[in-house]
Amino acid sequence: MKIAFLMSLVLSLFLLPNGICKSLVARPSVVNIGSILRLNSTIGGVSDVAIRAAVEDINSDPTVLNGTTLHVETRDTNCNDGFLGMVQALQFMETDVIAIIGPQCSAIAHIISYVANELQVPLMSFASDATLSSIQFPFFVRTMPSDLYQMAAVAAVVDYYQWKIVTAIYVDDDYGRNGIAALDDELTARRCKISYKTGFRSNAKKSELLSLLVTVSNMESRVIILHTGSEPGLKLLSLANGLNMMGNGYVWIATDWLSAYLDANSSVSAETVNGMQGVLTVRPHTPKSNMKRNLVSKWSSLSKKYNHSDLRTSAYGFYVYDSVWTVARALDAFFDDGGRISFTNDSRLRDVTGGTLHLEAMSVFDMGNKLLDKIRNVNFAGVSGQVQFNAQFELIHPAYDIISIIGNGMRTIGFWSNYTRLLSTTPPEDLYSKPPNTSLANQQLYDVIWPGETAQKPRGWAFPYNAKELKIGVPNRFSFKEFVSKDNGTGSMKGYCIDVFTQALTLLPYPVTYRFIPFGNGTENPHFDQLAQMVADNDFDAAIGDIEITMSRTKIVDFTQPFIESGLVILAPIKKHITNSWAFLQPFTLGMWCVTGLSFLVVGVVIWILEHRINDDFRGSPWQQLITIVWFSFSTLFFAHREKTMSTLGRGVLIIWLFVVLIIQSSYTASLTSILTVQQLDTSIRGLDDLKHSDYPIGFQVGSFVKEYMIKELNISQSRLKALGSPEEYAENLKLGPKKGGVMAIVDERPYVELFLSTYCKIAVAGQDFTSGGWGFAFPRDSPLQVDLSTAILTLSEDGELQRIHDKWLKTGDCSSDNTEFVDSNQLRLESFMGLFLICGAACVLALLIYFGITLRQYLRHEQPGSAISADSGSSTSKRSLRKFISFVDERQRSPKKNGP
């Protein structure tokens, strides 16, 4: 045995030439691990108890490490003083430990992660800083959910309650800054944003915190995210309560520091809890289990035993407890796989001496990579849930409880799970066995009592008392000033759109200070796309007026609910149609007359063919038969045909034809009656198709989106478009017409057209509206004022106030009722009856095919099979056979003979 041991020792020396080897045999009697904590903090105290409890449970069970005792060495560090804390942590790294639990502070974790990488010592940290990654630091093992998931849960809550902007308050260190950066990303993904964020020093004075809160109270957002430690966080909530910032209208969401503090501290004063009523917070979710209940039941005695008698357990305690068990299970697998505990001095540190940091004493854990691999592959059920790492070396199934502070404690109102990334009232562990349902419609939280003791969801924003005056862009129109215009006398803006906006503002539950800024020179209508772009660029805080809601504009700004319907229509000149001697021809177009007349003759010929052999009414000399065809076909128009049809096929065709005649006759009568009794309007434009297929100029209003629409959507050449700036130009150009320098038609939005037609009576709308839309007020993306004004506009519509404002500004004249009738063709076109003609034609063709089939069969039977075959040429035979067939068809068919003599 001695010889084997010596050979093993010599071999290890040869394998480790870069330094002196400190080696222990496999399955040593004691294995040292370390912990770096801030013991005077709530999380540090809970973690210390959890680590010692886990070590005690592991050592009391000999089957865990098979006789090896786990020993923990704890180093207290100062998180508030980053420099001192890092020095203390580096001093601790001089000891030979195979793993470290902690640190809890992000700043120290960043520094120690570099050291752990070099010394190959796994760092089992519960620091939640999202920038700490196993990609940069392979020996960094996060043993609780990252802030990436915590901020996703917070952002989900913000999005669930439809708040669009939030204010973020954070401690200005790695933990605070990186957490808020993760929150910003999650909110952006949900089309929300941080409108204002402010940091503070961890040791900030009361006056500094008061100044911070006063600044926050002057911000627009009333949803405040608080991402700090417990000590400054509680100070901020207490000061906010004194500033009446915990009352009605405010929303406070604290990250998991608050739940960790309230869970762990049994002696929180009633004054402290009362000052945070309605605050929401999150807690890392740990499912219920017997292991968890057993740990909680003995926690009181453990905390007293380890000098933390005032602390209860928290989610941090559960995760830290499992971190120690993770190391223990990994060590057992490590030893089973032949792993040995040995350290080697790093030759690069030999010459670095002096001071209290003995860097040359730091040793590299020779098999640290192997132990790290075993840690990453653990899989067991712990008190925090299933302990298992995914491909990114993060714990699987991160989840959070959503908690509301109410009364003397906390109430869980729901859960967030990374499995579905949705909020739910169902515990996450119940969802893992089912396929993830990511539908937003399934989100649900229990009711909340908000700050101010109200169950009504806060709006989440307000105009502060010192809010800046809103700069609202208003188009300074040259034409159609009834909608919006500048009063040259007072300089104020007036019009239909202005009244709608000001009336909607009266319905808002808060005051809004604003100033109208005219957009445009007043000599021509401004371009509304430019106005929308200025809102998107924050040159204006909003834009109101006759602004059409178009797809391109909705990509850069948000619109309110439309306050008036709008669609593109065609204006064309009209003239009264005077009835003349040939008015009876007007109901049908030329094509309809031709096809109808031809159909009469075709049906007459078909009936003659079907009846000729059996019906004496359809026989006689060729001239008589021709007259019969013409007479019969046209007499069906009046259902006055005298000839009877005897064949079944003929009767079938005739029935279908008489139905077609009935429809044509009724339509003709109705149209002719309208022409002779109703005043008719005539125009050269019948609708959009005529407009697209012509080459004449088309007018549009200056500044309107109509130009781009006709070019891009209707493919109309820009050379055909003519900009018109006033109703007078509309009338003049339509009067001149395209041949005298005017336009054939004008395309404009319906509200303008209705106002125009109330004055000009010789113009009308041609065809139907070919787009649908409306006018709205434009705001920057995600503006909360847009939502509230939309609600106000709907209220105005339901109360009839919108119609009253419309009647005030947009009164119609005497001739509007005549002009606004849609001008369309009164003639009946062939397209309207094409289906009837096709049905009748198909019946005729089918009847003829059946008739000739029957006749050919009769002819073949008539010809005797034994007839003499002529010696003439084949051509002569074919001609003679055809003549015989025609003669057969022309013959009067004999009635079938009856039996008997």
Side-chain angles (χ1 to χ4, degrees):
M1 292 294 292
K2 293 182 178 179
I3 296 174
F5 174 76
L6 289 174
M7 290 181 64
S8 173
L9 180 61
V10 171
L11 181 60
S12 64
L13 289 172
F14 276 105
L15 292 175
L16 302 167
N18 294 329
I20 300 173
C21 174
K22 295 182 285 186
S23 179
L24 296 172
V25 296
R27 290 282 178 179
S29 58
V30 177
V31 174
N32 293 322
I33 64 172
S35 66
I36 301 176
L37 305 170
R38 181 190 173 194
L39 294 177
N40 65 344
S41 68
T42 299
I43 294 177
V46 170
S47 299
D48 185 45
V49 176
I51 291 172
R52 295 179 184 275
V55 170
E56 182 179 313
D57 290 345
I58 292 167
N59 291 335
S60 64
D61 186 352
T63 63
V64 178
L65 290 175
N66 294 315
T68 297
T69 300
L70 196 63
H71 178 259
V72 60
E73 296 183 13
T74 301
R75 176 59 56 94
D76 188 9
T77 58
N78 189 338
C79 287
N80 290 333
D81 190 332
F83 175 74
L84 181 60
M86 286 185 288
V87 171
Q88 293 168 340
L90 288 173
Q91 288 176 333
F92 184 69
M93 296 301 290
E94 297 172 4
T95 61
D96 292 337
V97 292
I98 56 94
I100 295 175
I101 310 299
Q104 70 187 73
C105 308
S106 295
I108 297 176
H110 276 278
I111 298 300
I112 298 303
S113 293
Y114 283 105
V115 181
N117 275 1
E118 294 298 323
L119 302 184
Q120 298 185 15
V121 176
L123 196 64
M124 312 295 289
S125 178
F126 46 94
S128 58
D129 186 349
T131 61
L132 288 166
S133 167
S134 60
I135 298 175
Q136 182 181 7
F137 306 113
F139 281 82
F140 175 84
V141 181
R142 196 191 310 276
T143 57
M144 72 176 299
S146 156
D147 275 346
L148 286 177
Y149 303 111
Q150 177 175 204
M151 295 309 174
V154 172
V157 172
V158 172
D159 186 43
Y160 175 79
Y161 288 111
Q162 299 178 345
W163 298 315
K164 293 300 181 182
I165 56 175
V166 303
T167 295
I169 302 176
Y170 60 95
V171 60
D172 196 5
D173 58 13
D174 290 343
Y175 162 76
R177 287 189 299 270
N178 296 331
I180 293 303
L183 175 64
D184 199 7
D185 291 341
E186 290 293 337
L187 289 173
T188 301
R190 293 168 171 81
R191 288 194 63 184
C192 306
K193 67 178 181 179
I194 300 176
S195 61
Y196 178 74
K197 54 186 174 182
T198 179
F200 61 92
R201 297 180 296 119
S202 58
N203 58 349
K205 299 178 180 179
K206 179 180 179 180
S207 59
E208 294 174 335
L209 297 179
L210 279 172
S211 176
L212 179 149
L213 288 173
V214 169
T215 303
V216 168
S217 68
N218 290 330
M219 294 297 115
E220 184 179 20
S221 172
R222 287 292 182 264
V223 181
I224 302 171
I225 311 297
L226 191 55
H227 185 53
T228 72
S230 58
E231 184 177 347
L234 292 173
K235 283 183 181 179
L236 277 167
L237 290 177
S238 176
L239 294 174
N241 190 36
L243 294 174
N244 294 324
M245 294 178 65
M246 301 295 294
N248 196 9
Y250 280 91
V251 177
W252 288 83
I253 303 177
T255 50
D256 62 358
W257 66 265
L258 181 56
S259 62
Y261 176 83
L262 295 177
D263 283 335
N265 286 275
S266 57
S267 57
V268 181
S269 66
E271 182 183 359
T272 300
V273 176
N274 291 335
M276 59 179 72
Q277 293 294 301
V279 173
L280 298 184
T281 184
V282 296
R283 175 202 293 140
H285 178 71
T286 55
K288 296 178 181 179
S289 66
N290 290 329
M291 294 178 60
K292 180 178 175 181
R293 280 191 290 269
N294 291 336
L295 179 60
V296 172
S297 64
K298 64 181 182 180
W299 186 270
S300 178
S301 60
L302 290 171
S303 62
K304 291 179 181 179
K305 180 179 180 181
Y306 299 121
N307 301 319
H308 295 286
S309 58
D310 58 335
L311 294 179
R312 298 176 300 189
T313 188
S314 68
Y316 278 86
F318 298 138
Y319 281 102
V320 172
Y321 181 88
D322 283 344
S323 299
V324 181
W325 272 95
T326 300
V327 174
R329 291 180 181 275
L331 270 174
D332 186 51
F334 172 78
F335 291 139
D336 286 344
D337 199 23
R340 294 183 305 120
I341 306 296
S342 62
F343 295 88
T344 302
N345 293 122
D346 193 331
S347 59
R348 294 172 296 176
L349 300 176
R350 288 180 181 177
D351 299 329
V352 184
T353 59
T356 58
L357 286 177
H358 302 287
L359 300 180
E360 74 281 0
M362 294 184 181
S363 303
V364 178
F365 180 20
D366 298 321
M367 288 191 157
N369 276 312
K370 188 169 188 176
L371 179 59
L372 176 65
D373 183 63
K374 299 301 181 183
I375 289 174
R376 289 175 171 176
N377 286 284
V378 298
N379 186 358
F380 67 95
V383 295
S384 64
Q386 191 67 23
V387 180
Q388 183 181 352
F389 296 95
N390 59 21
Q392 291 76 38
F393 309 118
E394 299 275 356
L395 287 174
I396 63 171
H397 300 323
Y400 282 86
D401 301 339
I402 312 300
I403 298 170
S404 171
I405 309 299
I406 182 172
N408 295 323
M410 297 182 289
R411 172 175 176 257
T412 300
I413 61 171
F415 307 92
W416 177 91
S417 167
N418 190 56
Y419 184 66
T420 60
R421 296 190 70 83
L422 297 177
L423 298 169
S424 173
T425 54
T426 303
E429 57 270 20
D430 294 345
L431 303 175
Y432 298 148
S433 60
K434 306 173 185 177
N437 189 337
T438 57
S439 173
L440 293 176
N442 295 321
Q443 288 201 122
Q444 184 182 3
L445 291 176
Y446 291 119
D447 294 337
V448 178
I449 302 299
W450 300 99
E453 299 183 357
T454 177
Q456 183 177 2
K457 183 198 78 172
R459 187 173 58 251
W461 74 282
F463 274 100
Y465 295 113
N466 63 342
K468 66 176 183 179
E469 192 176 56
L470 292 182
K471 297 181 297 182
I472 299 179
V474 182
N476 187 13
R477 294 193 60 88
F478 173 70
S479 62
F480 298 108
K481 293 187 175 184
E482 291 84 352
F483 293 104
V484 60
S485 64
K486 181 179 180 181
D487 190 327
N488 294 327
T490 62
S492 61
M493 306 302 295
K494 62 179 183 178
Y496 168 73
C497 300
I498 300 296
D499 279 8
V500 172
F501 176 74
T502 55
Q503 195 66 30
L505 286 183
T506 62
L507 299 178
L508 300 184
Y510 47 83
V512 179
T513 57
Y514 60 90
R515 175 167 54 95
F516 290 139
I517 300 177
F519 175 70
N521 53 24
T523 59
E524 66 175 10
N525 295 329
H527 291 271
F528 290 89
D529 287 339
Q530 297 177 6
L531 180 58
Q533 188 62 51
M534 292 183 71
V535 174
D537 295 338
N538 293 319
D539 295 326
F540 290 133
D541 297 312
I544 70 168
D546 46 338
I547 308 171
E548 177 75 15
I549 302 174
T550 65
M551 183 179 66
S552 61
R553 293 171 186 170
T554 57
K555 292 180 180 179
I556 58 175
V557 296
D558 284 344
F559 283 94
T560 61
Q561 173 78 17
F563 56 87
I564 188 172
E565 293 183 358
S566 174
L568 293 183
V569 294
I570 300 171
L571 273 176
I574 59 172
K575 60 180 180 180
K576 293 183 180 180
H577 180 79
I578 301 175
T579 304
N580 55 33
S581 303
W582 300 95
F584 69 91
L585 294 177
Q586 292 179 8
F588 288 167
T589 60
L590 179 61
M592 182 65 181
W593 277 118
C594 294
V595 172
T596 302
L598 182 62
S599 299
F600 275 104
L601 294 176
V602 169
V603 171
V605 171
V606 170
I607 295 297
W608 175 81
I609 293 173
L610 298 176
E611 296 290 326
H612 178 66
R613 297 190 66 219
I614 61 175
N615 193 338
D616 290 336
D617 290 341
F618 291 89
R619 300 187 64 83
S621 65
W623 177 250
Q624 289 177 333
Q625 294 182 58
L626 179 61
I627 294 175
T628 299
I629 291 173
V630 174
W631 164 256
F632 177 82
S633 59
F634 284 99
S635 63
T636 57
L637 178 63
F638 310 102
F639 306 98
H641 49 286
R642 295 177 299 177
E643 296 78 9
K644 296 181 180 180
T645 52
M646 300 177 62
S647 66
T648 303
L649 293 175
R651 291 173 178 173
V653 170
L654 185 60
I655 289 174
I656 295 175
W657 172 244
L658 290 177
F659 175 72
V660 173
V661 169
L662 177 64
I663 300 299
I664 293 175
Q665 186 185 63
S666 301
S667 302
Y668 175 87
T669 303
S671 181
L672 182 60
T673 301
S674 175
I675 291 173
L676 296 178
T677 59
V678 180
Q679 174 182 289
Q680 297 297 309
L681 302 176
D682 191 17
T683 178
S684 58
I685 298 295
R686 303 299 182 187
L688 184 60
D689 290 338
D690 291 345
L691 198 69
K692 292 167 62 176
H693 297 151
S694 69
D695 296 323
Y696 291 125
I698 304 170
F700 67 93
Q701 185 180 166
V702 173
S704 173
F705 75 100
V706 174
K707 178 181 178 181
E708 287 73 18
Y709 180 85
M710 287 194 288
I711 294 174
K712 296 179 181 179
E713 302 297 331
L714 303 182
N715 296 318
I716 294 176
S717 173
Q718 186 173 352
S719 60
R720 292 181 56 198
L721 304 181
K722 183 176 182 179
L724 304 174
S726 66
E728 292 76 17
E729 290 187 34
Y730 280 24
E732 181 65 23
N733 278 267
L734 288 173
K735 181 179 179 182
L736 290 174
K739 296 182 180 180
K740 295 182 180 180
V743 296
M744 70 177 302
I746 295 173
V747 177
D748 206 350
E749 299 168 57
R750 174 161 288 282
Y752 302 124
V753 169
E754 290 179 348
L755 190 60
F756 173 79
L757 293 178
S758 66
T759 305
Y760 296 90
C761 303
K762 295 184 179 180
I763 300 168
V765 175
Q768 301 288 332
D769 294 25
F770 54 92
T771 66
S772 60
W775 293 351
F777 303 139
F779 289 87
R781 299 301 294 269
D782 302 320
S783 170
L785 187 57
Q786 172 259 339
V787 177
D788 287 352
L789 269 182
S790 293
T791 304
I793 289 172
L794 286 174
T795 303
L796 291 178
S797 177
E798 293 173 357
D799 294 346
E801 188 63 21
L802 272 184
Q803 186 62 45
R804 187 193 65 78
I805 300 173
H806 180 279
D807 295 341
K808 171 186 174 183
W809 287 98
L810 308 178
K811 294 180 179 179
T812 57
D814 295 336
C815 64
S816 61
S817 60
D818 296 331
N819 292 351
T820 54
E821 293 180 1
F822 295 115
V823 176
D824 207 341
S825 176
N826 291 316
Q827 290 185 305
L828 300 175
R829 298 174 179 268
L830 177 61
E831 292 80 3
S832 303
F833 300 91
M834 187 59 72
L836 288 173
F837 286 125
L838 288 176
I839 293 173
C840 184
C844 292
V845 171
L846 181 62
L848 289 175
L849 290 175
I850 296 173
Y851 171 77
F852 282 117
I854 295 173
T855 304
L856 181 61
R857 183 167 174 269
Q858 292 175 349
Y859 172 72
L860 294 176
R861 286 182 177 181
H862 176 74
E863 291 293 314
Q864 296 299 325
S867 299
I869 300 175
S870 172
D872 293 344
S873 64
S875 177
S876 300
T877 304
S878 298
K879 291 180 180 179
R880 187 166 56 253
S881 298
L882 180 60
R883 285 195 299 269
K884 291 177 64 178
F885 177 72
I886 293 174
S887 177
F888 177 78
V889 171
D890 186 55
E891 290 178 357
R892 177 74 163 80
Q893 182 177 345
R894 299 175 183 176
S895 301
K897 295 181 179 180
K898 299 180 181 179
N899 295 333

